[in-house]
Amino acid sequence: MNPLDIARWQFGITTVYHFLFVPLTIGLSALVAGLQTAWVRTGNTGHLRATKFWGKLLLINFAMGIVTGIVQEFQFGMNWSAYSRFVGDVFGAPLALEGLLAFFLESTFLGLWIFGWDRLPKKIHLACIWIVSVGTLLSAYFILAANSWMQHPVGYHLDPATGRARLTDFWAVLTNSTMLVAFPHTITAAFVTAGLFMVGISAWHLARRRHVEVFRPSLKIALAVTLIASLGVAVTGDLQGKVMTKQQPMKMAAAEALYKTERPASFSLVTVGTLDGRKEVFSVKVPRVLSFLATGHFDGKVDGINDVQAAEQAKYGAGDYRPVVPVTYWNFRIMAGIGFLTAFLALLGLWLMRRGRLPRNRWVWRAGVLSLVLPFVGNSAGWIFTEMGRQPWSVYGVLKTSASVSPGVSATSMLISVLALTTLYAVLIVIETGLMLRYVKAGPPSEEDVAPPPPGDDSSAEPSLTFAY
Amino acid sequence: MEATTVWFVVIAFLWTGYFFLEGFDFGVGVLLPVLGRGDTERRVLLNAIGPVWDGNEVWFIVAGAGTFAAFPDWYATLFSGFYLPLLAILLALIVRGVALEYRGKRDEPHWRRRWDRAIFGGSLVPAFVWGVVFANLSRGVPLDARHEYVGTLADLLNPYALLGGLTTLTLFVLHGAVFLALKTAGDVRARAVRIARAAVVAAIVVGGAFLLITQVQHGKPVTWATVAVAAAGLAGAAVAVVRGRDGWAFVGTGTAIVFAVVTLFTALFPDVMPSTIAAANSLTTTNAASSPYTLKIMTIAAVAFTPLVVLYQGWTYWVFRRRIHASHIPQPVPEPAKDPEPAR
């Protein structure tokens, strides 16, 4: 294997892995903050028990997101030094702002929230988890601004002296049209993730009729969040499709395995191509739907892979500008299919739970538990689609992935890196999942556990910490 | 001052803050098996850094990302050139972060023992390797005309750099011991003071040698002053440790770390990565820097937000200012049942 392939595999593995934890952190921190707010406002200990239960799971997940994020920050320099030199002037700024504005907030206030239960006034303690939640959103904003610049570079020019990208308009980078649709799409997907995570775990307990007073409210909140967020995902996904058709026509064509330009274009339900993914062999299609998805009109023109390839060759010179079509095609289908499925499941769940009902059918609860897997698959498929669909470019139309890799790092070093990280990540996911399952099964703390200590107790000695490592 | 110089100072400030802060929590991690006899005592150590270690670590992330934004070539050459040492640091930080968060989540001796080892190793490796990395920065590394690192791993493991590694390790262990003396009470504190007495001697010998060599080989006249302040910090720490003045001892070790890092960066300026092949190949604050426009934006952000960060991080230390004693450590939370009885 050459260094380029190894570096790409490492980026793929570490990024998909990192993004297993990130959306859950984003969505769940807001939901936990909401539950804690409900407790602070009503004094209902059911909400406090729910806050503690979901908060524990949030922390188990948060830790993994934080540590795997460190690799993300530095592998640009390690494996992609040519890329870093080329884009640093533009791309480095949002990353630095993410650290300065978001990471400091998240880590500091998360520490205050974890250890501050008995040290801070109730409302200030509550503010801490909200600040953490805002931190996660800020972080998403800056990193998506950086990624959107790779999809659709704006606010820069190429320095004739160095041949590198130079920032000319930072505001343009922060308000990139690609970012404006990618950000709400990612955030709503994060809420679907947290929603179905809560649905799955609540369903597991409710199937056994355990802790109903905690999990019934959790389930209803989670279903409502999932439904609203799923609709948000669909709407923003649709907007994104139209932006993508304009900005990266090849990615849209590859998402559909549409080889020849069509007007009107049909949406593919199944397309089977040749093994090298270069030609269509068989397909089942719905007429005109792709035209609508891509352009907003039922008779809009959608460019095919072969025509975009010819156009890009004319623009950028000889070369292959086609991504790996089976990868983009199937990941696009997995992503979109799961998007619709989650909306349907949430609606079904709300209907089954209407007016105090608790379904008896075992299969309902099994489906509820299993739905937990969906958003994680959907999120991964979405990122694999959007990153693989941009290939062969690392910065679309400006810098190729093959020209981005570190020239001075040997394949051996890179292999050591990818093997060490993959092995470590594999071990950690087993440990993390085991710990999650343990705390899921243990259920929320009891009424007595969360009751405040009776007054006068412990007055002689300093009280022990309510939370400690 | 030119924008590139401003950003050199900002980057130096971020690294200084990082080593001052995470220096003591690395030290606590290394001292975990030595100072913590039994689970409760080890929990005293860990809870002393529990609320703050993660915020401390972000200084590294921001130093790295700030370098990416302000000096892309420095970021690219540093991280691709020092590939394996930095990989070791990343792996250690991953293991350490998970270990700190997960250790207390199960009340089983073998589970906790394993994570204790992870915390020890995950603290030891970066405490040593950071010294190796920064010593090599000041010594210079083989860079070609395109600013690519053309040396090997063995080139980075030269005696001067290894002495640098020992310096950060001993300084951080001392800093950690002094921090524990300040933040704990009872047996752990008594042991931390004893360790600090030994560690301060080691730090004076090793760190003194390293700073002297650095000054003689790479220093400027002005860095004599910073070396002197660092040395005074260590001497002050030694006196304060002997007299049992915990706060002053921490000020002393903090001063030593801050001025050791300031010495390295001042000696480096205006280079950021000197080349041992030809001076023309060196990366400098000028040829590694981003455009004036990017630096201006970054300056505005740094001026607006850095004071805020320092303020709220400082507040965290105030909230958790109380000394921790073994009696404060709560009984382990009842173990989540392994296989709850099916209730249907």
Side-chain angles (χ1 to χ4, degrees), chain A residues 60 79 89 164 438-439, chain B residues 73 83 102 105 291 335 343:
Chain A
I60 294 171
N79 281 351
D89 199 81
R164 293 179 187 175
R438 230 179 151 80
Y439 276 89
Chain B
D73 275 294
Y83 194 92
Y102 285 5
K105 297 253 183 300
S291 62
E335 184 66 4

Side-chain angles (χ1 to χ4, degrees), chain B residues 296-312:
Chain B
K296 191 177 92 187
I297 298 229
M298 296 292 301
T299 307
I300 294 168
V303 168
F305 293 105
T306 313
L308 195 66
V309 169
V310 172
L311 215 63
Y312 65 66

Side-chain angles (χ1 to χ4, degrees), chain A residues 13-30:
Chain A
I13 292 168
T14 53
T15 309
V16 169
Y17 189 85
H18 177 57
F19 207 73
L20 292 176
F21 309 103
V22 168
L24 184 58
T25 293
I26 294 173
L28 200 55
S29 57

